[in-house]
Amino acid sequence: MSIMFRPPIAVVEAIGWPQVLGLAQGRERFYARVRAAQLQALNRHVPFNVGAMVLNVAGLVWLLRDMAEFAFVARWGAVMGGLALLWTARFWRLRRQGPMTEATQRLFWLITAEVVAFGLAWAGLLLHLLPRADLPTQALLLLLSLTAMGACGFAAAVMPVCACALVLGIGGAALLAIPASSVFATPMVVLAFATFALLVIRGAIVTSFAMMARMRTEANLADHTEVVRLLLNEFEANGSDWLIEVDGDGRLTHVSPRLADVARRPRAELLGMPLLDLLGEEKRGAGRNAVKALTASFLARRAFRDITIPVAVEGETRWWALSATPKTDAMGGFTGYRGVGRDVTEARRSHERIAQLARFDPLTGLVNRALFRETLEDALARATRTRKACALLFIDLDRFKPVNDTLGHSTGDKLLRAVAGRLRDAVGGGSTIARLGGDEFAVMLPEATPRRADAMAKAVVTALARPFEIEGQALTIGASVGYALGPADGASVDRLLKSADLALYEVKSSGRGAACRYVAAIRERADERRALEADLAQALDRGELALAFQPVVEAADEHIVGFEALLRWTHPTLGRINPDRFIPIAEATGLIIPIGHWVIRTACAWAACWPAHVRIAVNLSPAQIADPQLVAVVGAALADHGLAPDRLELEITESLFLDERPATIETLAALKALGVGFALDDFGTGYSALGYLHKAAFSRIKIDRSFVSRATQANGEASAIIQAIVSLAHSLNMTTTAEGTETRAEFELIRALGCEHVQGYLFGRPMPPEEATALVTVDARERLVAD
């Protein structure tokens, strides 16, 4: 073919001019299918084309009704009407017969002749009327001729013989019939008609060739089926996945040995069994949705990918991920599906456990902070809409820390679980109970009156004031409750949380062990807190702040590999102030920024005195991430003290990602570019979600002490969770650190579960920097002697 008419498609076997034009096709079945496809494409547009043709012909006959040759025009219109009726009747007949798979040459040329007859009729009209017509009628006839050429070229785009005959016949007749005296008898008109005809003919030829090339390629692909089958057999024999085939009714028609193994049934039993009969009893949630998605795909006969369905295997519900595409026979009819499947039960269980950690507190089973906030937001919106208040109760255990410090974290964890159970009994159904972290709990009461909220708060205080029996010991802790009603005490979630928090602070300031509702006067009394804020603002300049370092050891050889820097404040009159008390003040007032700069510089300065293998970990709060100078401060601290960037690790919590701020991601990326590492702190106790693990490219996950303290319990649940977290970390190329390791038994189990590093009182409490430096120097000397 010439360059102009060469189609942009390459085919394995050449298709020549004769074949494109419908000639020299012989009896090859491929061309019979091509003719069927061409005729179906032509027939598909019959309603529109015939409708447009009838409208145009009728309009033309009406416009020419006053001409002397009207009898000719009327006969011409009757011929056109006959063709329209013929094509309409064939359209309905072929539609009733269903899709055509092959067409004879006789039918092909018969329909071609009908189309050519249409072109000859139009050409006859032009030859008869155009020489006698006045100028407006000539313009109308020429315009309609161009329109007919374009419409016919589009309608017969896959039948180039028809398109060529129509375009050349109509265009040639128009040019021959134009009177020499007409203003249209110019070279430009001839050029326009010729150019238009050439474009239409080229489009038809290219379109026809493209269709034939595609069909030839599809036919050639069918020849490779046996090769593909051999490859699939190899896959079945050696792959961990398996092939699956079902017929049009969803019955298994192919059962590989691998499928029989995972289904734990004989192949003979599975053959012919409906795939849906394998489903388990998972009727809710993702299981039901997956079954509905699979059924919908079957009914729609569309491909599907990674639909995870529950399957009953010897009384146990397993989960299979299925992907498949529809199968068709030689006639194009649907015959079923062919695809692959794999058992994803273990991965699903791990993901469900991680998802549980992201929404619920693993220690108590209560809602965690993230889910509680969502629930409170919904309740507050409903309260605003219905004008029925909701109540928010903040609960703080009064004497929990002494129990935790004196009796150990294991006893403290059991006490927290007992508190959660007693809260459930006191609050009852219809409400939401959450553990916000540590010894802080919250309760949301929907549609609560002031009287009900007050009664509930007092009931909680009374319930938690009774002694708890833990490991044979009677423990009395008590609780303080601050509560607020929304939307009266706060029309937004943050405002309502602040109001309840101020009420709780008021209770704790007044002696604890009571309940208090937020009132406006409480905010005034909060001014007293500002005195502490003022002292904290000067603490750095006065040298009241210091760092303590807690060692982190290698689980394999129990040698120190790093320290975590912990901030301490010794007030000149109040003495040692708990970080849980002054750090929130620092974050709220913005003092955390200059204090954080000092912590980073000081920690790097001490770390530079240690052996090269010892790292330093520094905690970063969300407020510090928003500091535009943070990256520069970290870079300067590393450079000024000659500390390798990989020796500095920044610890952050999931709360950092709650607002999803782009600036946060940019800051983390800039810090990462410096070469420092990131650790996800207290994993499993807050907002844990898999997406956070990628956002900061964490190199370490710190397993919360609540898991470590329960790792040696008989039920093995905590150890299973630790193992799942370790497996997750390893799959993401991260290391793990177990916090709160206090006993040798805990350490040995943690080490056996694969944790690389441990941190806790077993290996050292937080200590002054001089003591830490001396300790790590001795440790390095001992390692050198051992080597």
Side-chain angles (χ1 to χ4, degrees):
M1 291 186 180
S2 68
I3 294 177
M4 180 178 179
F5 289 93
R6 183 177 299 157
I9 296 179
V11 292
V12 176
E13 299 180 23
I15 298 176
W17 278 103
Q19 288 78 24
V20 173
L21 297 176
L23 305 172
Q25 293 182 350
R27 298 182 178 274
E28 186 178 348
R29 293 190 63 185
F30 167 74
Y31 288 109
R33 291 194 293 270
V34 169
R35 291 191 294 269
Q38 290 174 317
L39 296 180
Q40 286 189 118
L42 183 65
N43 196 59
R44 188 181 303 117
H45 301 291
V46 162
F48 176 81
N49 293 330
V50 168
M53 165 187 166
V54 170
L55 289 177
N56 287 327
V57 169
L60 185 61
V61 171
W62 174 257
L63 291 174
L64 301 179
R65 66 187 185 279
D66 295 330
M67 295 184 63
E69 294 83 2
F70 180 71
F72 172 82
V73 174
R75 289 193 297 274
W76 176 82
V79 171
M80 290 296 190
L83 288 173
L85 290 175
L86 174 63
W87 292 337
T88 302
R90 181 182 288 114
F91 169 80
W92 288 110
R93 185 174 70 254
L94 293 178
R95 185 170 182 176
R96 286 193 300 269
Q97 292 176 353
M100 184 188 306
T101 58
E102 295 183 6
T104 63
Q105 291 185 355
R106 179 179 179 279
L107 179 61
F108 176 83
W109 289 110
L110 175 62
I111 295 177
T112 299
E114 295 171 1
V115 176
V116 171
F118 169 82
L120 293 176
W122 193 281
L125 176 71
L126 294 176
L127 293 172
H128 184 79
L129 293 183
L130 200 58
R132 302 172 177 81
D134 53 19
L135 189 60
T137 304
Q138 289 179 3
L140 174 63
L141 290 173
L142 291 175
L143 179 60
L144 289 176
S145 297
L146 282 173
T147 303
M149 291 168 63
C152 294
F154 170 77
V158 295
M159 297 183 65
V161 173
C162 295
C164 292
L166 287 171
V167 171
L168 294 177
I170 296 175
L175 294 178
L176 290 174
I178 297 176
S181 60
S182 174
V183 296
F184 298 109
T186 64
M188 290 304 297
V189 172
V190 174
L191 180 61
F193 266 82
T195 302
F196 188 70
L198 185 63
L199 290 175
V200 173
I201 292 172
R202 180 185 184 278
I205 292 175
V206 170
T207 301
S208 298
F209 186 91
M211 184 190 72
M212 289 184 178
R214 175 181 56 80
M215 295 182 68
R216 174 68 78 182
T217 300
E218 292 174 352
N220 290 336
L221 288 177
D223 297 337
H224 301 293
T225 300
E226 186 59 29
V227 176
V228 174
R229 173 67 66 181
L230 293 174
L231 294 176
L232 291 178
N233 289 339
E234 178 68 17
F235 170 82
E236 283 188 312
N238 301 306
S240 59
D241 298 352
W242 64 85
L243 297 178
I244 186 170
E245 290 190 26
V246 297
D247 59 18
D249 297 325
R251 299 179 180 274
L252 291 167
T253 58
H254 174 79
V255 177
S256 65
R258 176 65 179 162
L259 173 56
D261 289 342
V262 296
R264 298 176 194 170
R265 299 191 185 189
R267 295 180 63 190
E269 179 182 339
L270 291 174
L271 279 173
M273 175 185 291
L275 177 61
L276 295 181
D277 285 359
L278 291 172
L279 299 184
E281 298 181 356
E282 193 76 20
K283 303 290 187 185
R284 299 178 180 176
R288 180 179 61 182
N289 294 336
V291 173
K292 291 175 63 177
L294 181 63
T295 303
S297 297
F298 265 64
L299 294 177
R301 298 179 179 179
R302 63 171 179 265
F304 54 87
R305 180 177 180 82
D306 286 335
I307 294 182
T308 304
I309 62 171
V311 181
V313 179
E314 294 184 348
E316 176 190 7
T317 298
R318 307 286 296 179
W319 292 86
W320 293 356
L322 303 180
S323 302
T325 54
K327 298 187 301 179
T328 56
D329 55 20
M331 306 295 289
F334 173 75
T335 60
Y337 279 92
R338 178 185 292 112
V340 296
R342 65 182 185 278
D343 191 304
V344 295
T345 305
E346 299 307 320
R348 183 180 179 88
R349 288 173 179 171
S350 297
H351 292 164
E352 288 175 350
R353 176 58 65 181
I354 296 298
Q356 179 77 5
L357 295 177
R359 307 288 282 176
F360 294 89
D361 175 56
L363 178 62
T364 63
L366 299 177
V367 168
N368 71 1
R369 186 186 296 269
L371 182 54
F372 183 76
R373 184 182 178 91
E374 294 177 9
T375 305
L376 181 60
E377 186 172 3
D378 294 340
L380 188 57
R382 185 168 57 253
T384 303
R385 186 173 60 254
T386 63
R387 298 184 180 180
K388 294 181 179 179
C390 64
L392 169 63
L393 282 65
F394 270 1
I395 305 164
D396 187 76
L397 304 184
D398 292 336
R399 290 174 292 277
F400 175 76
K401 189 175 185 305
V403 173
N404 216 31
D405 291 341
T406 58
L407 301 179
H409 292 294
S410 175
T411 301
D413 290 345
K414 293 177 181 179
L415 180 56
L416 289 175
R417 285 195 291 270
V419 168
R422 199 168 287 185
L423 283 175
R424 292 189 185 97
D425 295 337
V427 174
S431 303
T432 301
I433 310 173
R435 182 189 176 210
L436 304 182
D439 59 350
E440 297 178 353
F441 296 82
V443 175
M444 190 281 294
L445 304 174
E447 299 184 3
T449 63
R451 178 177 297 180
R452 183 187 175 213
D454 184 68
M456 185 60 67
K458 292 178 179 177
V460 168
V461 172
T462 301
L464 299 183
R466 299 196 308 270
F468 291 86
E469 186 72 21
I470 305 294
E471 296 181 339
Q473 301 182 69
L475 303 178
T476 303
I477 53 173
S480 299
V481 179
Y483 66 96
L485 295 176
D489 298 333
S492 67
V493 171
D494 290 332
R495 184 72 176 182
L496 191 60
L497 290 169
K498 183 65 175 177
S499 297
D501 189 46
L502 286 174
L504 176 61
Y505 184 79
E506 179 72 11
V507 176
K508 294 166 68 175
S509 301
S510 303
R512 304 174 181 270
C516 175
R517 179 188 172 179
Y518 169 81
V519 293
I522 292 178
R523 193 172 297 275
E524 299 174 2
R525 289 191 290 271
D527 292 340
E528 300 175 2
R529 183 187 180 193
R530 295 197 180 99
L532 190 61
E533 296 174 2
D535 291 339
L536 182 60
Q538 303 177 59
L540 189 58
D541 294 335
R542 293 174 178 175
E544 298 168 4
L545 298 180
L547 289 183
F549 296 93
Q550 185 174 28
V552 178
V553 303
E554 180 77 37
D557 57 15
E558 302 185 31
H559 288 290
I560 297 175
V561 294
F563 287 93
E564 179 181 359
L566 303 172
L567 185 62
R568 297 291 184 261
W569 179 21
T570 304
H571 193 278
T573 58
L574 301 177
R576 179 66 60 86
I577 298 179
N578 195 305
D580 291 342
R581 185 179 176 190
F582 73 83
I583 288 181
I585 295 177
E587 292 177 332
T589 59
L591 292 173
I592 194 67
I593 302 302
I595 292 175
H597 294 175
W598 176 84
V599 170
I600 292 171
R601 289 193 295 267
T602 305
C604 289
W606 280 106
C609 303
W610 303 336
H613 70 279
V614 180
R615 297 189 304 273
I616 181 68
V618 177
N619 290 279
L620 287 184
S621 74
Q624 289 177 269
I625 298 297
D627 175 20
Q629 299 179 357
L630 177 62
V631 178
V633 168
V634 172
L638 295 172
D640 292 346
H641 300 289
L643 187 68
D646 60 356
R647 293 181 62 192
L648 175 62
E649 187 172 73
L650 303 176
E651 296 187 6
I652 56 181
T653 62
E654 302 98 324
S655 60
L656 175 66
F657 302 105
L658 282 182
D659 293 335
E660 296 287 346
R661 296 177 181 174
T664 298
I665 306 302
E666 294 175 3
T667 300
L668 294 176
L671 290 170
K672 186 68 176 178
L674 292 178
V676 302
F678 291 100
L680 182 61
D681 201 10
D682 297 333
F683 183 77
T685 62
Y687 312 92
S688 302
L690 293 178
Y692 302 147
L693 300 179
H694 294 282
K695 291 184 178 179
F698 289 100
S699 58
R700 181 185 313 278
I701 294 176
K702 300 194 72 175
I703 301 173
D704 188 67
R705 66 180 66 225
S706 62
F707 299 115
V708 177
S709 62
R710 293 182 289 121
T712 56
Q713 293 180 358
N715 59 21
E717 179 181 359
S719 61
I721 294 175
I722 292 175
Q723 190 169 32
I725 295 175
V726 170
S727 298
L728 170 65
H730 290 173
S731 67
L732 298 175
N733 295 321
M734 302 177 187
T735 58
T736 54
T737 297
E739 297 181 291
T741 305
E742 297 185 354
T743 66
R744 175 58 59 172
E746 291 174 353
F747 169 69
E748 295 296 344
L749 178 57
I750 291 300
R751 176 161 59 182
L753 292 176
C755 286
E756 291 86 352
H757 300 137
V758 294
Q759 178 181 353
Y761 290 171
L762 178 64
F763 297 99
R765 295 175 178 269
M767 61 190 70
E770 296 82 4
E771 185 178 336
T773 302
L775 179 63
V776 75
T777 302
V778 172
D779 184 78
R781 188 179 300 116
E782 290 177 351
R783 291 187 64 182
L784 182 61
V785 171
D787 292 340

